[in-house]
């Protein structure tokens, strides 16, 4: 299989009249998707007149965006999804970095000429695209530095879709409740699992997440049975208390990722949906969404770490120390990823590509590129990988090396805590703990004293009204310090 269009073509042949994508306003069947995407592909190919060209798509989490993705692939190009709600200056900076051959937004999708499909033109593009060519590029969160766009190949996405199907048993009966925006790499899971397996992807309207009961009712009404959601969305539902009022029936799988999942949040969902399978998936955008996973098979106490498990199929995880030597059992090290999921680098950024996509330090015999994640983890007594923190969250405080992520995990286990963010003030040598929740600052500080060694205890505890977030829903750590601490 050379490109992602084969996933669409195979399912369109098997399930021509079945709904593939649906939002609150429109739906499209597999055969309609193929026809309209070919029309768009013909228009794009004639305008761009080149293969493997970047096409910026301004997305609004609707069916039209997904049709445009397929159309770009038919044209032999790759897409870069952007947030349609982003401020003008933000959008401008993204477009300057991309320098796209074409921009498609909500208006231009409608205005693209529905030309007679040029089968010869499209077939030429299909014959020219191979599995190692780019399928999309997606911006990382940019929460800790300048934004960059990771380029991912057709082959890497196909590998991901195959692994997901084999692991979770997705079939034509699967109905995904799509929560993640398309400029967030987590959405790739449901987009291409849907095409591969003849599934249906039902997009959950963003506005419903402000009304948790309506969101849960929507999931039941559309018959969704798989929720591939970001941890932030899972937390939102758990913290809302919605399950005391309404629990959707028929959910078989909840697959969460994007950041650390508190055991307290997981336990709320498990109590509400004891029949469901829960899975924690991990992976940066640079390795095609997921490179490790853990299917929850035991109970966890509030405050315990949920493992990120073991490597996905066709992927190997290396755990290396600061000298790029494998760590001993139980020791912490940085995760390096090799295998089918490793991306092609950063778009138009060779310097940072060479810093992150490097020769395997354990192999000098031939070219063997690995991705250096910057994430610190260790194996537990069960042989499962446990995420600790970012490498740049490791600090030396009072003579000891401390993982700020470990402090965050402990804090999330305290009753009355919704969100936490732990930072370090290097100038004053202080550990800073910011949180959202109902507990008072002095009560949280006292609770932390009984849960960790003195040298790890936060020096400053600050309650915030609202934790700043990146466009992907992750905590924006730069903004947290800037808004709530720099002014003190």
């Amino acid at each position: 299989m050379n490109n992602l269009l084969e996933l669409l073509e195979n399912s369109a042949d098997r399930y021509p009249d079945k709904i593939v994508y649906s939002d609150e306003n429109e739906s499209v069947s597999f055969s309609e998707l193929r026809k309209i995407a070919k029309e768009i592909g013909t228009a794009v190919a004639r305008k761009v007149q080149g293969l493997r060209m970047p096409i910026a798509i301004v997305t609004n989490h609707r069916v039209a965006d997904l049709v445009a993705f397929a159309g770009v692939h038919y044209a032999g190009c790759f897409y870069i999804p952007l947030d349609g709600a982003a401020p003008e200056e933000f959008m401008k900076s993204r477009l300057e970095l991309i320098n796209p051959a074409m921009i498609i937004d909500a208006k231009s999708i409608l205005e693209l000429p529905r030309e007679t499909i040029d089968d010869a033109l499209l077939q030429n593009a299909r014959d020219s695209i191979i599995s190692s060519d780019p399928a999309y590029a997606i911006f990382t969160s940019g929460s800790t530095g300048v934004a960059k766009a990771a380029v991912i190949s057709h082959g890497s996405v196909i590998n991901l879709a195959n692994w997901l199907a084999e692991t979770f048993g997705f079939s034509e009966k699967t109905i995904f409740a799509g929560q993640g925006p398309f400029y967030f790499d987590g959405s790739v899971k449901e987009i291409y699992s849907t095409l591969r397996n003849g599934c249906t992807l039902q997009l959950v309207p963003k506005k419903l997440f402000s009304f948790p009961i309506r969101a849960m009712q929507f999931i039941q009404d559309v018959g969704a049975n798989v929720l591939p959601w970001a941890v932030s969305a899972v937390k939102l539902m758990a913290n809302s208390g919605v399950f005391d009022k309404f629990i959707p029936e028929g959910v078989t799988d909840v697959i969460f990722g994007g950041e650390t999942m508190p055991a307290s949040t997981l336990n709320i969902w498990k109590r509400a949906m004891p029949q469901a399978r829960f899975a924690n998936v991990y992976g940066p955008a640079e390795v095609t969404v997921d490179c490790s996973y853990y299917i929850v098979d035991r109970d966890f106490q509030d405050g315990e770490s949920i493992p990120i498990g073991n490597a996905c199929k066709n992927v190997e995880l290396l755990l290396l120390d600061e000298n790029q030597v494998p760590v001993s059992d139980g020791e912490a090290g940085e995760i390096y990823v090799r295998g089918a999921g490793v991306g092609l680098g950063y778009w138009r950024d060779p310097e940072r590509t060479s810093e992150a996509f490097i020769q395997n330090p354990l192999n000098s015999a031939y070219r063997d590129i690995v991705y250096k994640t910057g994430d610190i983890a260790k194996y537990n007594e069960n042989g499962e990988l446990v995420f600790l923190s970012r490498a740049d969250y490791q600090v030396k405080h009072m003579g000891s090396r401390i993982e700020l992520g470990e402090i965050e995990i402990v804090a999330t286990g305290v009753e009355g805590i919704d969100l936490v963010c732990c930072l370090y003030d290097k100038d004053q040598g202080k550990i800073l703990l910011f949180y959202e929740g109902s507990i008072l600052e002095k009560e949280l500080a006292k609770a932390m004293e009984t849960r960790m060694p003195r040298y790890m205890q936060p020096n400053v505890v600050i309650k915030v009204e609202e934790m700043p977030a990146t466009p992907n829903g992750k905590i924006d750590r730069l903004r947290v310090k800037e808004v709530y601490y720099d002014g003190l």
Side-chain angles (χ1 to χ4, degrees), residues 34-100:
R34 174 165 57 183
K35 178 179 181 295
I36 300 171
K38 283 187 173 183
E39 292 172 348
I40 292 175
T42 297
V44 171
R46 285 177 175 168
K47 181 171 182 177
V48 172
Q49 295 186 341
L51 298 173
R52 307 172 191 87
M53 303 292 283
I55 309 297
I57 300 182
V58 182
T59 66
N60 293 281
H61 205 239
R62 52 185 220 157
V63 167
D65 303 331
L66 298 169
V67 176
F69 293 170
V72 167
H73 285 159
Y74 271 113
C77 296
F78 69 98
Y79 63 87
I80 304 180
L82 300 174
D83 178 9
E88 184 178 347
E89 286 302 311
F90 182 89
M91 183 71 72
K92 182 180 177 181
S93 67
R94 290 290 200 261
L95 291 173
E96 287 177 351
L97 192 154
I98 298 170
N99 189 25

Side-chain angles (χ1 to χ4, degrees), residues 247-262:
I247 301 172
E249 299 177 355
V251 174
T252 60
D253 290 272
V254 181
I255 304 171
F256 49 86
E259 57 183 306
T260 302
M261 167 65 83

Side-chain angles (χ1 to χ4, degrees), residues 14-149:
R14 289 183 297 162
Y15 313 105
D17 299 323
K18 183 179 180 182
I19 296 300
V20 51
Y21 297 137
S22 182
D23 61 29
E24 60 182 328
N25 297 313
E26 61 180 329
S27 300
V28 62
S29 69
F30 277 99
S31 60
E32 290 169 336
L33 173 60
R34 174 165 57 183
K35 178 179 181 295
I36 300 171
K38 283 187 173 183
E39 292 172 348
I40 292 175
T42 297
V44 171
R46 285 177 175 168
K47 181 171 182 177
V48 172
Q49 295 186 341
L51 298 173
R52 307 172 191 87
M53 303 292 283
I55 309 297
I57 300 182
V58 182
T59 66
N60 293 281
H61 205 239
R62 52 185 220 157
V63 167
D65 303 331
L66 298 169
V67 176
F69 293 170
V72 167
H73 285 159
Y74 271 113
C77 296
F78 69 98
Y79 63 87
I80 304 180
L82 300 174
D83 178 9
E88 184 178 347
E89 286 302 311
F90 182 89
M91 183 71 72
K92 182 180 177 181
S93 67
R94 290 290 200 261
L95 291 173
E96 287 177 351
L97 192 154
I98 298 170
N99 189 25
M102 183 177 177
I103 301 173
I104 298 176
D105 57 19
K107 182 179 180 182
S108 65
I109 288 176
L110 298 175
E111 293 178 347
L112 277 174
R114 290 292 187 266
E115 304 182 27
T116 301
I117 296 171
D118 189 334
D119 287 313
L121 180 64
L122 299 185
Q123 190 61 50
N124 178 66
R126 286 280 295 277
D127 292 342
S128 301
I129 298 301
I130 61 176
S131 61
S132 58
D133 282 330
Y136 67 84
I138 202 158
F139 280 97
T140 58
S141 65
S143 63
T144 56
V146 179
K148 49 192 180 294

Side-chain angles (χ1 to χ4, degrees), residues 81-290:
L82 300 174
D83 178 9
E88 184 178 347
E89 286 302 311
F90 182 89
M91 183 71 72
K92 182 180 177 181
S93 67
R94 290 290 200 261
L95 291 173
E96 287 177 351
L97 192 154
I98 298 170
N99 189 25
M102 183 177 177
I103 301 173
I104 298 176
D105 57 19
K107 182 179 180 182
S108 65
I109 288 176
L110 298 175
E111 293 178 347
L112 277 174
R114 290 292 187 266
E115 304 182 27
T116 301
I117 296 171
D118 189 334
D119 287 313
L121 180 64
L122 299 185
Q123 190 61 50
N124 178 66
R126 286 280 295 277
D127 292 342
S128 301
I129 298 301
I130 61 176
S131 61
S132 58
D133 282 330
Y136 67 84
I138 202 158
F139 280 97
T140 58
S141 65
S143 63
T144 56
V146 179
K148 49 192 180 294
V151 184
I152 304 299
S153 73
H154 285 262
S156 290
V157 182
I158 291 169
N159 181 75
L160 173 73
N162 287 341
W163 166 73
L164 287 166
E166 293 171 12
T167 302
F168 296 101
F170 298 149
S171 70
E172 72 280 2
K173 297 179 181 179
T174 299
I175 301 176
F176 294 105
Q179 167 268 326
F182 300 144
Y183 53 85
F184 174 48
D185 70 298
S187 65
V188 171
K189 284 199 288 285
E190 55 260 36
I191 293 172
Y192 293 103
S193 287
T194 296
L195 294 185
R196 181 196 185 277
N197 303 293
C199 308
T200 295
L201 170 56
Q202 176 68 56
L203 302 178
V204 183
K206 182 179 179 180
K207 63 186 179 184
L208 293 188
F209 286 91
S210 297
F211 307 95
I213 292 179
R214 290 174 58 189
M216 291 294 111
Q217 183 70 59
F218 179 87
I219 287 169
Q220 178 163 297
D221 290 347
V222 300
N225 47 30
V226 178
L227 312 184
W229 285 11
V231 168
S232 57
V234 177
K235 283 182 183 177
L236 178 65
M237 292 296 122
N239 294 337
S240 74
V242 65
F243 296 134
D244 294 332
K245 302 171 183 176
F246 185 85
I247 301 172
E249 299 177 355
V251 174
T252 60
D253 290 272
V254 181
I255 304 171
F256 49 86
E259 57 183 306
T260 302
M261 167 65 83
S264 56
T265 297
L266 173 63
N267 289 335
I268 291 172
W269 277 77
K270 286 182 67 180
R271 287 192 292 269
M273 302 179 185
Q275 81 288 350
R277 173 173 51 183
F278 293 85
N280 189 17
V281 293
Y282 158 83
E286 291 86 346
V287 298
T288 318
V289 191
D290 298 328

Side-chain angles (χ1 to χ4, degrees), residues 203-434:
L203 302 178
V204 183
K206 182 179 179 180
K207 63 186 179 184
L208 293 188
F209 286 91
S210 297
F211 307 95
I213 292 179
R214 290 174 58 189
M216 291 294 111
Q217 183 70 59
F218 179 87
I219 287 169
Q220 178 163 297
D221 290 347
V222 300
N225 47 30
V226 178
L227 312 184
W229 285 11
V231 168
S232 57
V234 177
K235 283 182 183 177
L236 178 65
M237 292 296 122
N239 294 337
S240 74
V242 65
F243 296 134
D244 294 332
K245 302 171 183 176
F246 185 85
I247 301 172
E249 299 177 355
V251 174
T252 60
D253 290 272
V254 181
I255 304 171
F256 49 86
E259 57 183 306
T260 302
M261 167 65 83
S264 56
T265 297
L266 173 63
N267 289 335
I268 291 172
W269 277 77
K270 286 182 67 180
R271 287 192 292 269
M273 302 179 185
Q275 81 288 350
R277 173 173 51 183
F278 293 85
N280 189 17
V281 293
Y282 158 83
E286 291 86 346
V287 298
T288 318
V289 191
D290 298 328
C291 62
S292 78
Y293 72 108
Y294 169 68
I295 296 177
V296 179
D297 59 0
R298 61 182 185 275
D299 293 330
F300 291 87
Q301 298 296 316
D302 291 357
E304 280 191 85
S305 297
I306 309 301
I308 58 175
N310 292 282
C312 303
K313 187 175 182 179
N314 283 336
V315 173
E316 181 183 9
L317 304 179
L318 310 175
L319 206 58
L320 309 181
D321 65 17
E322 56 191 16
N323 297 314
Q324 296 186 328
V325 174
V327 300
S328 302
D329 291 344
E331 289 187 355
E334 182 177 352
I335 302 172
Y336 290 65
V337 184
R338 68 184 296 268
V342 175
L344 302 175
Y346 298 119
W347 176 247
R348 300 180 67 201
D349 197 340
E351 182 177 347
R352 283 194 290 177
T353 294
S354 64
E355 292 173 355
F357 296 83
I358 67 171
Q359 173 65 28
N360 182 353
L362 307 183
N363 180 11
S364 60
Y366 55 87
R367 183 174 171 81
D368 182 12
I369 299 300
V370 300
Y371 175 67
K372 189 176 185 294
T373 67
D375 290 335
I376 304 298
K378 67 178 180 181
Y379 284 100
N380 62 19
E381 63 277 8
N382 298 313
E384 302 154 343
L385 204 59
V386 177
F387 175 85
L388 299 177
S389 70
R390 289 286 300 165
D392 45 14
Y393 297 166
Q394 185 185 77
V395 300
K396 194 166 186 179
H397 178 67
M398 298 176 62
S400 299
R401 289 196 177 277
I402 296 173
E403 303 289 352
L404 299 180
E406 289 193 86
I407 300 175
E408 292 181 346
I409 290 172
V410 172
T412 59
V414 177
E415 186 175 354
I417 293 294
D418 295 331
L419 288 175
V420 296
C421 173
C422 192
L423 303 175
Y424 192 65
D425 181 343
K426 293 181 180 179
D427 294 334
Q428 298 188 44
K430 293 182 178 181
I431 297 173
L432 316 174
L433 184 65
F434 303 84

